[in-house]
């Protein structure tokens, strides 16, 4: 099967989910490439705006061929930027067909705007398309305002949901989460994102005798991630007599604002690459995430895959609540979070290897690649 992945955003602004699924699909025997047009914003990456290539080009990344373009966004020209983005993607697709032939199926990541571009390409070429949706209500609220909204984008996104052969939310909860904008009258089937279970493999932790228990939190420093709940909860834990450390990492965790909140027993590591994230997980005994909203926090799966328990809030999707691996507490409950951390500290029967295997069966590249492959095959068979 010839599959073309079209991400709404990509390097340097993310896109790991698209890359991981492309690799998973290629590993099960499909011909897979990525077509990426990235809109660069001067205010969020001024250097990239000027130094990244101004031409379309083809390159390889982790064994996947990527047809790449960078678009310079015009400040505050939302509608113009969107139309230009879609036009560029459609032009690139025409060139892609001349180079590689027509793909059998288009796999867009996020309706806004890869899903919309895929709908336009489908109308011209008759190629079916699927949308994997990663974006939550909170993301849409920033641009569209509170739901219900009559902003011009809504009708366009509704159309591409309805015309898609399948919408693939990364969790079942996401359908309900964004229904206030787009309804639910479209075809959907939830499939998790994948994590690199071979990389984040199980590893026993060192004996706790004679050393301090280590918690970690891997999340960017912004209000959604609940550091204003986690930090006082950890302080309560220490005040109760528990000897523990808290290691935090993520974009902004080494900022002056974040450092000002830290107290004894807390260490910040700033933004870490994949190898450093794994190294930190292997040094720690549990991961805690105090988020107020999540679509699919893969860091929880990565932590459990390495063999440690996780503590999270009840915004965590049911599909990620691995039996035996998770402790769930209410959102914004400092005392409840502190008690959960104390409970994990005193836990003596955690089977990290069994939890790691459950994660592999849920979200390994082999499992997700196979599920997506079956879905795409069924779609083509019914066309």
């Amino acid at each position: 099967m010839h599959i073309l992945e079209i991400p709404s955003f990509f390097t340097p602004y993310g896109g790991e989910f698209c890359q991981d699924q492309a690799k998973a699909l290629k590993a099960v025997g499909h011909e897979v490439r990525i077509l990426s047009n990235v809109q660069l914003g001067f205010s969020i990456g001024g250097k990239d705006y000027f130094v990244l290539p101004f031409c379309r080009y083809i390159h390889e990344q982790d064994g996947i061929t990527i047809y790449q373009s960078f678009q310079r966004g015009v400040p505050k020209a939302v509608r113009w930027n969107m139309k230009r983005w879609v036009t560029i993607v459609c032009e690139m697709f025409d060139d892609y067909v001349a180079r590689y032939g027509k793909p059998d199926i288009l796999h867009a990541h996020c309706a806004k705007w890869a899903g919309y571009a895929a709908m336009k390409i489908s109308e011209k070429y008759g190629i079916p398309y699927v949308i994997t949706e990663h974006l939550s209500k909170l993301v849409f609220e920033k641009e569209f305002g509170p739901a219900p909204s009559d902003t011009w984008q809504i009708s366009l996104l509704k159309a591409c949901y309805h015309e898609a052969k399948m919408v693939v939310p990364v969790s079942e909860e996401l359908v309900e989460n964004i229904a206030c904008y787009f309804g639910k009258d479209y075809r959907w089937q939830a499939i998790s994102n994948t994590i690199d279970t071979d990389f984040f493999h199980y590893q026993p932790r060192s004996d706790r005798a004679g050393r301090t228990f280590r918690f970690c939190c891997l999340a960017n420093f912004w209000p959604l991630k609940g550091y204003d709940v986690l930090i006082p909860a950890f302080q309560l834990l220490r005040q109760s007599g528990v000897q523990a450390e808290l290691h935090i990492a993520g974009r902004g965790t080494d900022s002056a604002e974040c450092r000002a909140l830290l107290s004894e027993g807390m260490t910040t590591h700033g933004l870490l690459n994949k190898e450093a994230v794994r190294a930190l997980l292997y040094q720690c005994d549990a991961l805690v995430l105090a988020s107020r909203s999540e679509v699919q926090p893969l860091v929880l799966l990565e932590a459990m895959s390495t063999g440690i328990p996780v503590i999270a809030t009840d915004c965590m999707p049911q599909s990620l609540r691995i039996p035996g691996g998770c402790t769930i507490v209410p959102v914004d409950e400092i005392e409840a979070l502190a008690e959960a951390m104390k409970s994990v500290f005193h836990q003596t029967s955690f089977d990290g290897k069994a939890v790691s295997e459950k994660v592999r069966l849920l979200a390994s590249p082999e499992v997700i690649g196979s599920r997506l492959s079956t879905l795409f095959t069924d779609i083509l068979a019914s066309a």
Side-chain angles (χ1 to χ4, degrees), residues 243-260:
Q243 294 301 306
E245 300 171 357
L246 175 61
H247 296 263
I248 64 174
R251 191 180 303 277
T253 58
D254 56 351
S255 65
E257 181 183 2
C258 181
R259 289 180 181 277

Side-chain angles (χ1 to χ4, degrees), residues 64-121:
I64 302 295
T65 298
I66 302 170
Y67 186 17
Q68 183 79 64
S69 174
F70 294 103
Q71 170 189 344
R72 273 65 188 175
V74 177
K76 300 183 179 180
V78 175
R79 191 189 293 255
W80 189 93
N81 286 331
M82 170 270 186
K83 289 183 176 180
R84 182 61 184 152
W85 191 93
V86 172
T87 297
I88 291 172
V89 169
C90 291
E91 290 174 353
M92 291 175 70
F93 184 80
D94 292 339
D95 184 53
Y96 178 93
V97 171
R99 292 172 182 268
Y100 303 109
K102 285 202 312 182
D104 297 306
I105 196 163
L106 306 174
H107 185 196
H109 288 263
C110 303
K112 180 180 166 292
W113 290 102
Y116 182 73
M119 181 180 73
K120 292 298 184 183
I121 293 169

Side-chain angles (χ1 to χ4, degrees), residues 22-266:
K23 289 159 59 179
L25 285 164
K26 184 176 180 179
V28 295
H30 298 298
E31 178 185 354
V32 187
R33 298 181 186 86
I34 295 172
L35 187 159
S36 169
N37 179 40
V38 177
Q39 179 179 308
L40 301 174
F42 178 76
S43 61
I44 61 174
K47 182 179 178 181
D48 292 333
Y49 196 92
F50 293 106
V51 304
L52 286 174
F54 283 76
C55 61
R56 300 170 191 175
Y57 66 104
I58 296 171
H59 62 106
E60 297 283 325
Q61 184 173 310
D62 292 338
I64 302 295
T65 298
I66 302 170
Y67 186 17
Q68 183 79 64
S69 174
F70 294 103
Q71 170 189 344
R72 273 65 188 175
V74 177
K76 300 183 179 180
V78 175
R79 191 189 293 255
W80 189 93
N81 286 331
M82 170 270 186
K83 289 183 176 180
R84 182 61 184 152
W85 191 93
V86 172
T87 297
I88 291 172
V89 169
C90 291
E91 290 174 353
M92 291 175 70
F93 184 80
D94 292 339
D95 184 53
Y96 178 93
V97 171
R99 292 172 182 268
Y100 303 109
K102 285 202 312 182
D104 297 306
I105 196 163
L106 306 174
H107 185 196
H109 288 263
C110 303
K112 180 180 166 292
W113 290 102
Y116 182 73
M119 181 180 73
K120 292 298 184 183
I121 293 169
S122 179
E123 289 172 353
K124 179 177 179 180
Y125 285 91
I127 303 169
Y129 71 96
V130 170
I131 301 170
T132 287
E133 189 55 79
H134 306 266
L135 302 183
S136 70
K137 175 184 173 183
L138 285 178
V139 175
F140 291 119
E141 279 182 342
K142 290 181 180 180
E143 186 167 348
F144 304 158
S149 172
D150 60 358
T151 187
W152 59 270
Q153 294 100 322
I154 298 296
S155 61
L156 303 181
L157 295 175
K158 278 185 176 180
C160 69
Y161 277 133
H162 293 158
E163 294 300 318
K165 292 299 182 182
M166 190 66 68
V167 176
V168 183
V170 295
S171 68
E172 292 188 8
E173 290 86 349
L174 183 56
V175 176
E176 191 65 42
N177 179 262
I178 61 176
C180 54
Y181 287 105
F182 310 115
K184 296 182 286 186
D185 57 336
Y186 50 83
R187 296 173 290 270
W188 65 271
Q189 177 182 328
I191 297 178
S192 170
N193 273 310
T194 183
I195 67 163
D196 190 342
T197 48
D198 287 337
F199 183 83
F200 292 102
H201 59 81
Y202 170 74
Q203 180 171 295
R205 298 315 190 263
S206 60
D207 192 335
R208 286 176 50 196
R211 69 168 177 83
T212 303
F213 191 96
R214 305 183 190 107
F215 290 97
C216 65
C217 177
L218 298 167
N220 294 337
F221 183 67
W222 62 308
L224 184 67
K225 299 301 181 180
Y227 277 108
D228 56 329
V229 175
L230 173 60
I231 290 173
F234 179 75
Q235 291 168 336
L236 276 180
L237 181 71
R238 296 262 301 188
Q239 291 166 13
S240 72
V242 172
Q243 294 301 306
E245 300 171 357
L246 175 61
H247 296 263
I248 64 174
R251 191 180 303 277
T253 58
D254 56 351
S255 65
E257 181 183 2
C258 181
R259 289 180 181 277
L261 301 176
L262 304 186
S263 56
E264 187 176 357
M266 304 181 195

